[in-house]
Amino acid sequence: MRLRRKLIASMAGMAIALTGAGLATGVPMAYGAAAQQQLAAAWAPWTAYATGASVTYNGVDYVAIQGHTSQPGWEPPNVPALWKQGGGGGDPTPPSVPGNLRSTNVTSTSASLAWDASTDNVGVTGYNVYRGGTQVGTATGTTYTDNGLTASTTYAYTVRARDAAGNLSGVSNTLSVTTPGGNGAPGQPGTVTTTVTDTSIALSWGASSGTVTGYRVYEGATQKAEVTGTSTTISGLSVCQSHTYTVKAYNSVGESAGRDVSATTTGCPTGGKMPGAPYLYTGWGDPPSPTTVMNATGIKSFTMAFILASNGCNPAWDGQRPLSGGQDAQAISAIKAAGGSVQVSFGGWQGNKLGPNCSTPELFAGAVQKVINAVGPAVVDFDIENTDEFENLTVQDRILNALKIVKSANPNVKIAVTFGTATTGPTYYGTRLINRAKELAVPIDNYTIMPFDFGGGANMYQNTVNAAEGLKNALKTAQGWTDAQAYAHMGISGMNGLSDQQELTNQSTWTQIRDYANSHGLTRLAFWSVNRDRPCPGGGVAENCSGIAQENWEFTKITAGF
């Protein structure tokens, strides 16, 4: 997916040009260089800022670390990928995002918090703790107790790490804590964990503070269990069924605040067709509301892009946004609440990827597992591209061996690999990946080609079909499959409108490609991207429109017919 990377670079260049015209504050400079500022202006939306531009926001100075045009909601403390606090310095690298923010004890007047330590290229010096977005304290370790709270009140906490240079990490996951009533009711139970089978979900949780008689487990308003210990099993469930439970402690005075958990029983069918799932990227390109698109088109699934590496072998959205509590998680929750599902895409054309950063298959699989645990995807898509993964045979093997571990631990999650192609089918590296997957016995559910930026020329439909038929033949040769078996393991991921090479895939061409996929039994269809599924005839290759005349979400509506 080269477009988003190119657009970020071109936006930075545009911001620098606008600065010269007097439209942006600050002075262009190299990332990490000392700020050359006179008097920093207040941050404002809809303003072009160049790398190195200085602003103030709520009395705090910030320096832009990437050129961009600001938008409402992109205030400096909200987007650490664009701004850092202070006036520059020799260490521009922020710490990694603190992980797994959780509560260890809650009383009617206090909340005790803990989190996983951050890492830094020089060293983490401490953590800032925020309640409702306002800093309420600091910690040198990975615990903090917030006192003076009000009983029967819900509070939202986040944490950011800091280093000696004043760099702040991204924001942790948001933790919601409800204090119990000041009437002697127990404290809120600790985090709930689950173990599932085809017909049962076993629950286990941390003990509540205060006087506890027992615990009740609810599904909605219906009580499912009552126990004196800190575990129970809900049995008699159906296969492949999702449930959300609430655990509450109780005594003679009343019940505590609840602790929620969701889980899905095993036994989900494997193989088979995946719903059409265009890529949705929340980092750039005026990301649309997924539910708006769902309501307008009938689409039921999205491929969420992209998981990259953050400070080593740590997964994060775009390498910088947390797995939970941020804009990506909010979009995913909205999709699921509307009855949809998500695929999660790892990698892409460019960026700091997990493949080169995770030194063993086990570490790579562990990073993927963190994403699966946080997101609950139906499909994990490994977009293996460029010289750092696709053309690096060591990394290719590392990823393939890791996928065996991922599938073993998550048999109900489908695995797709996505890679570039020639007009006649897979290139050397694509054929090598297919053959190596057979040699290593990697249980890949779907091999998806990207038939764009491949010299498709004026006949994108026929060249896409030719590439797909080449993929079918490569799979038959490697696996010994029939035509039908090969098609059932194939997918197509296109690029709507104009590609980077100015190849044109218009609405009728994409309809033809969809119909080919349907009629031949392919099991995956996607395109880059929903962000671009808007009109801008003559607009060229853009991040938020297709470059051609169309109605909003027209390609998504076509894809919903897969």
Side-chain angles (χ1 to χ4, degrees):
M1 305 305 176
R2 308 181 196 189
L3 173 66
R4 70 186 182 102
R5 310 296 184 185
K6 292 182 178 179
L7 285 167
I8 291 171
S10 63
M11 286 181 70
M14 178 181 71
I16 292 172
L18 288 169
T19 302
L23 294 178
T25 58
V27 177
M29 62 180 184
Y31 177 75
Q36 305 293 317
Q37 63 182 57
Q38 297 174 358
L39 181 63
W43 179 90
W46 311 117
T47 302
Y49 291 108
T51 303
S54 298
V55 299
T56 61
Y57 184 80
N58 286 346
V60 179
D61 291 331
Y62 293 88
V63 177
I65 58 176
Q66 183 166 268
H68 65 284
T69 298
S70 60
Q71 296 185 27
W74 290 13
E75 292 79 5
N78 295 338
V79 279
L82 300 179
W83 297 96
K84 68 170 184 173
Q85 282 192 23
D91 173 22
T93 305
S96 64
V97 176
N100 190 26
L101 177 61
R102 56 198 182 274
S103 63
T104 56
N105 188 47
V106 180
T107 71
S108 61
T109 58
S110 69
S112 295
L113 313 176
W115 55 88
D116 295 344
S118 297
T119 58
D120 186 66
N121 63 318
V122 177
V124 175
T125 59
Y127 299 86
N128 295 348
V129 180
Y130 302 84
R131 185 200 321 132
T134 300
Q135 185 174 331
V136 293
T138 61
T140 56
T142 57
T143 60
Y144 179 83
T145 297
D146 189 22
N147 294 300
L149 305 181
T150 302
S152 302
T153 304
T154 299
Y155 298 93
Y157 290 95
T158 54
V159 175
R160 299 177 72 179
R162 64 178 187 277
D163 61 18
N167 299 309
L168 286 176
S169 74
V171 180
S172 72
N173 59 293
T174 300
L175 173 69
S176 179
V177 171
T178 301
T179 54
N183 55 3
Q188 186 181 34
T191 301
V192 185
T193 59
T194 62
T195 303
V196 299
T197 70
D198 282 3
T199 59
S200 69
I201 298 176
L203 311 175
S204 179
W205 55 88
S208 295
S209 60
T211 301
V212 178
T213 301
Y215 298 88
R216 297 178 181 128
V217 178
Y218 297 90
E219 184 169 20
T222 303
Q223 183 177 317
K224 292 293 184 178
E226 183 171 325
V227 295
T228 57
T230 57
S231 64
T232 191
T233 298
I234 311 298
S235 302
L237 306 178
S238 299
V239 299
C240 196
Q241 192 174 71
S242 296
H243 297 266
T244 297
Y245 298 107
T246 302
V247 180
K248 295 182 178 182
Y250 72 92
N251 60 19
S252 60
V253 176
E255 288 187 332
S256 71
R259 181 74 72 181
D260 294 338
V261 68
S262 296
T264 301
T265 53
T266 54
C268 298
T270 58
K273 192 173 183 178
M274 309 170 202
Y279 284 81
L280 176 61
Y281 179 48
T282 72
W284 292 95
D286 301 331
S289 160
T291 52
T292 297
V293 178
M294 294 172 77
N295 291 335
T297 66
I299 200 75
K300 291 296 184 183
S301 188
F302 296 88
T303 304
M304 306 300 295
F306 286 99
I307 294 292
L308 295 175
S310 172
N311 291 312
C313 186
N314 300 301
W317 289 108
D318 227 27
Q320 59 196 19
R321 298 188 300 276
L323 298 179
S324 303
Q327 64 209 51
D328 307 87
Q330 291 168 6
I332 290 167
S333 294
I335 292 166
K336 290 185 175 182
S341 64
V342 295
Q343 305 181 18
V344 174
S345 187
F346 295 74
W349 175 253
Q350 195 171 341
N352 193 33
K353 304 172 191 175
L354 289 169
N357 279 279
C358 299
S359 58
T360 67
E362 291 76 16
L363 288 173
F364 186 97
V368 173
Q369 191 64 52
K370 290 179 182 178
V371 178
I372 292 174
N373 293 346
V375 175
V379 181
V380 281
D381 163 42
F382 298 89
D383 197 341
I384 305 174
E385 301 188 54
N386 219 325
T387 56
D388 55 348
E389 288 192 333
F390 191 50
E391 298 178 17
N392 185 319
L393 304 188
T394 299
V395 174
Q396 220 189 77
D397 281 358
R398 182 182 301 154
I399 294 172
L400 290 173
N401 278 302
L403 299 190
K404 295 170 64 176
I405 301 172
V406 171
K407 191 66 171 180
S408 177
N410 307 274
N412 297 323
V413 177
K414 292 186 175 68
I415 291 178
V417 292
T418 300
F419 49 93
T421 183
T423 55
T424 54
T427 63
Y428 163 79
Y429 292 103
T431 302
R432 193 265 180 190
L433 184 150
I434 291 168
N435 292 336
R436 192 69 172 133
K438 170 61 176 178
E439 293 167 7
L440 296 172
V442 185
I444 294 172
D445 295 288
N446 189 278
Y447 296 80
T448 298
I449 53 169
M450 295 185 290
F452 60 88
D453 292 342
F454 73 144
N459 195 340
M460 286 294 284
Y461 168 69
Q462 190 58 54
N463 280 314
T464 296
V465 169
N466 293 343
E469 292 297 312
L471 173 63
K472 177 200 71 176
N473 292 333
L475 290 172
K476 289 176 62 179
T477 299
Q479 299 283 354
W481 287 336
T482 64
D483 280 8
Q485 288 173 317
Y487 285 133
H489 288 82
M490 286 170 49
I492 292 173
S493 179
M495 187 166 177
N496 58 307
L498 293 177
S499 74
D500 304 299
Q501 292 184 1
Q502 300 294 304
E503 301 154 325
L504 174 60
T505 300
N506 60 24
Q507 299 92 315
S508 62
T509 300
W510 187 240
T511 300
Q512 286 182 291
I513 292 170
R514 181 206 63 190
D515 291 347
Y516 164 83
N518 276 330
S519 63
H520 286 75
L522 274 65
T523 53
R524 185 166 182 250
L525 186 67
F527 70 86
W528 181 262
S529 62
V530 179
N531 306 60
R532 301 182 65 251
D533 196 8
R534 291 176 277 212
C536 57
V541 183
E543 66 183 25
N544 59 356
C545 58
S546 63
I548 65 173
Q550 64 160 98
E551 299 296 326
N552 283 345
W553 327 128
E554 204 167 345
F555 287 86
T556 303
K557 189 172 185 179
I558 294 168
T559 306
F562 177 73

